[in-house]
Amino acid sequence: MTETPISLSVRRLFAGGGAVGLALLALPAPAAAQEAAPAPKIQRVEITGSNIRRSEAETASSVIAVNRADIEKSGKATVAELLQTLAVDNQGSVPTTFGNGFASGASGISLRGLGAASTLVLLNGRRMAPYGLADDGQKQFSDLNVIPSDAVDRIEVLKDGASAIYGSDAIAGVVNVILRKDYTGTTIRASRGATQDWDGKRTNVAYTQGFGNLDTDRYNLLFSLEYKKFDEIWYRDRADRDYIGRIDLRPWGYSANEALGGTGAIVPNSGAAGNAINGNVRNPADIANYYNRGNLAGPGFTRTFPGAACANLTSHPQGDPGGGCIIDSTQEYNQIEPKQENLSFFTRGTWQFTPDIQLYSELNWYTSQSDTSTTPSAISTSVGYPGGPVNNAGVQLGASHPDNPYFGTAARLRYLAWDVGPRRSGIESNFIRWLGGAKGSNFGWDWDSSLLFSHSHVNNIRTGYLQRDVTFALLDPSPTNIANALLNSPAYAALPIGTVWRIGENAGLNSPELYAALSPTIGNRANSKIGQWDFKATREFGGMPWLAGPLGLALGGEWRHEKTELQPTSGTERGNIIGLGYSAYAGQRNVFALYGEALAPLPYNIEASAALRWDHFTDVGNSYTPKFGLKWTPMREFALRGTFARGFRAPSPAENGVGGLAAFSTAADPLRCALGVTSVCNPAAIALITSPNPDLSPERSRSYNLGMIWDPLPRTSISVDYWTIKRKNEINQDQVDAAIAAGSVVRDPASVSNIPGDPGAITAVLTRYVNSAQTKVRGLDIDARYAHRLPDNWGMATFDIKYTHMFEWTRTERDGSSRDFAGTHGNCDVTNCTGTPDNRANLRLGWERDAWRVSANVNFRGKLDNRLFKDDPDCASHLANGADAPGDCELASFTTLDLVARWKPMPKWEIFGSIENVFDKVAPLDPLTYGAQAYNPLDYAGARGRYYQLGARYSF
């Protein structure tokens, strides 16, 4: 087929110039031109899918194109894993391995480190319902797990921020996953993987079939069915990988005083103690000190418990100077990767109704079950709910409790409920998306219109969590506590009045009925829905003055209804579940949008593009978001390009709707630290209560991109892009440390040290969602590819590198104060303390010959300063001797090598395999992050260890 200059220009524009994925149909010449000469048939192109970049195929916008061959060369099993290894994914992504987060069971991508909510993910150019559970209880995002990897044709990533065509909310960019559309044939694929420790097994089976030829049969039907099962990996099975998964980091120089010496430690004279498996009890006559129940010489003990000796319950090394009983709870109970099993189905049907009109329909269905585990509940963990904080620090053994060493006097207790068992979550996710539409050519316009419905439904069933009122009543059966428990728990009412919960060495005396009342099954549900109608049309206008060719024009509009609801987990609506935060929201709105885009070929090989979008949100009003692009090609091998765009993100229902958030974070206590309570000078867990804010303004952004493309040699392409995104009115929680400094805290005045003036430990920090003044992110992307044909028929060698350097990630607060997080361990409010690497790179060396394809993939994450922001005078973590930790307050860089090979011995057969983390590198020690234990979630491969995969594909 022949392609005219304007069709090529329009293809370039819609490949990335603000309209990634917009379907362009044939663009016929105007009537006058048709009379002069027959119009050639023009190829229908959607977006750029070239694997070898050429300057003439580049647009004003910067786009990463990943086709099926790239996906196979990566060796990654899922779309999420592939995207989250890209250099442009800087911080704020949601990995599936984070099984205990707010958005467990899903995966999301965050371009430019601006958060998953600021990256627009499309499926075949159109939206899908966001995952029912918002990340951190705030940020809604699209779950990448719902995409069947075997049905993927290619992935396009628009990197320059904002899209006037697909949505003003694409502040950080667009990820468009394009599935196969007209495949014919049958393919069966199966693979099996496992770590070198023979755990974490992954099974993947896919069946894809397509039949019918649009040209001859006038129809095509495609369907793909894919099953995946990922087995869990336990920290306890990585005990030989140094510090991986450990909370007891004393062998690496840390101490219990910094909450890094295991679970159950006592910090003398501080009024603080960890939750021990045999119980730490506070001396009623000396409230600054706790003593372990196994201590036969505990000051003031009226009873001793030889059976409570720590050695009777654990073999974990002790040596704690505070006298507590320590275990490594995270290593024993937590997972590197949760168990997950899912099934996905995709089908697409196309019918050439008339020579000019085509009908099509798509259906995506996905179901998933994830099972996660974490440490048993600590009975004293304070929580919050919309009504305020709930202080659990006062939990105590009653005066007559038989396990109370201060029998006769009530005494505060710190106990890890190991006898109840680990806290578990079973997350069932169901997703459906239906699309039906028509497209054709009439009156000189090529048009496309569709209806879309998408629904995400999530059930989360939890076990192992303690009811507060029943816990207090079973440990201290006072009249008040009994009355509170009887009021809300029928299971407790069925127990004999005055029943007590025996702890530690006596836990075997408890009945199943007691545990049923203490820790019932709880759960919640979440739903998000999108209904959408859209229409778009394109054509060319020739004979325009001052133009070097016809003017390309695209117009479109859409109407969208969005609705989302998250119910609170049973009991959290009144703060009655110890150690479990509250998250609930509800909201809906209608969105109406109109947009237009034009591409003008100017003299001197200049292409100019412009787009404008108008959105009307029924809850926050109107927005106008333009985008402009310019590309100059002075010679075939070289081009300069640049874009400017504005973006707009309306607050989500979690931010300005009905509900609220009570979660957990980490923070130091500068007030008590200054008084000399050294145990609080380092970040430790705190409850965080955040309220929705109906007065929030929408986020607005401006993005700039300036770059060049150079093809110095055949089969060679180099692109360099400098980019900046400025976001105003950014919706965030108040900074935790700023809220603490401002006194927005709730303290427990009974948890004090012997130091005069000690105000007591922080039980909760009170924040709300606010519009920060501005966030500015800027960086540099380098993308280079080279292919070299080897002599003597030795095939083709290829080289591919993608590198991103972040110069700045600065957040400016309303008071004018600024913090730059680039290259540091912040911003913890966005990243779960994974940090903001300022250098990330992907390098691939490949070789192809006849039936063989081999790739060596290198993934690099740059070093991080273990500080909360640049120029922070204090290191975020310290060793027991007070020195900065890790050494020089710097988290080392991490690099892994993956090998991928494919062999096609016969036309219908293909054998493939991979080895990830070939050299079995261990992830660097990271004491700060809470998305994983003692290592950074970005370095997941270094926690899992070397991984093998083998599979086969048969096509007929």
Side-chain angles (χ1 to χ4, degrees), residues 451-628:
L451 290 172
L452 168 71
F453 172 77
S454 186
H455 179 201
S456 173
H457 175 74
V458 181
N459 284 333
N460 190 355
I461 304 301
R462 303 174 187 263
T463 59
Y465 289 82
L466 306 181
Q467 292 199 94
R468 180 185 190 272
D469 47 15
V470 176
T471 299
F472 276 57
L474 290 175
L475 292 174
D476 179 16
S478 67
T480 300
N481 287 343
I482 290 174
N484 289 336
L486 289 173
L487 183 64
N488 296 293
S489 176
Y492 176 79
L495 298 175
I497 296 296
T499 298
V500 295
W501 173 19
R502 304 301 300 272
I503 63 173
E505 75 284 5
N506 295 318
L509 301 176
N510 297 315
S511 67
E513 291 76 17
L514 180 143
Y515 286 118
L518 177 65
S519 178
T521 298
I522 57 177
N524 67 332
R525 295 181 178 181
N527 287 279
S528 66
K529 298 178 182 179
I530 284 182
Q532 176 178 297
W533 170 83
D534 65 70
F535 179 85
K536 47 200 173 189
T538 66
R539 70 167 297 168
E540 288 182 338
F541 295 90
M544 305 292 291
W546 304 299
L547 297 184
L551 174 71
L553 180 67
L555 301 173
E558 69 180 55
W559 172 87
R560 188 170 72 250
H561 177 71
E562 301 174 347
K563 183 178 182 180
T564 186
E565 178 187 15
L566 172 65
Q567 300 175 356
T569 301
S570 314
T572 61
E573 74 282 354
R574 55 190 182 94
N576 195 50
I577 307 300
I578 295 176
L580 182 61
Y582 171 91
S583 180
Y585 45 80
Q588 59 182 314
R589 64 182 170 216
N590 294 326
V591 183
F592 181 71
L594 295 173
Y595 57 85
E597 187 155 5
L599 182 141
L602 303 175
Y604 307 107
N605 294 321
I606 296 175
E607 291 179 359
S609 61
L612 178 65
R613 182 183 183 94
W614 170 74
D615 289 277
H616 173 71
F617 295 81
T618 54
D619 58 341
V620 293
N622 302 321
S623 75
Y624 294 89
T625 48
K627 184 167 186 176
F628 304 98

Side-chain angles (χ1 to χ4, degrees), residues 663-717:
F664 299 94
S665 185
T666 57
D669 187 342
L671 177 59
R672 298 185 76 206
C673 180
L675 292 174
V677 185
T678 58
S679 61
V680 301
C681 296
N682 293 282
I686 52 94
L688 183 66
I689 302 174
T690 307
S691 302
N693 185 352
D695 298 325
L696 287 174
S697 299
E699 296 180 345
R700 300 182 184 273
S701 71
R702 292 180 294 170
S703 60
Y704 308 85
N705 191 89
L706 182 64
M708 71 90 176
I709 314 105
W710 182 36
D711 298 345
L713 299 169
R715 297 186 294 273
T716 305
S717 179

Side-chain angles (χ1 to χ4, degrees), residues 740-758:
I740 292 175
S744 298
V745 300
V746 177
R747 295 182 179 273
D748 177 22
S751 296
V752 297
S753 65
N754 285 324
I755 298 175
D758 185 350

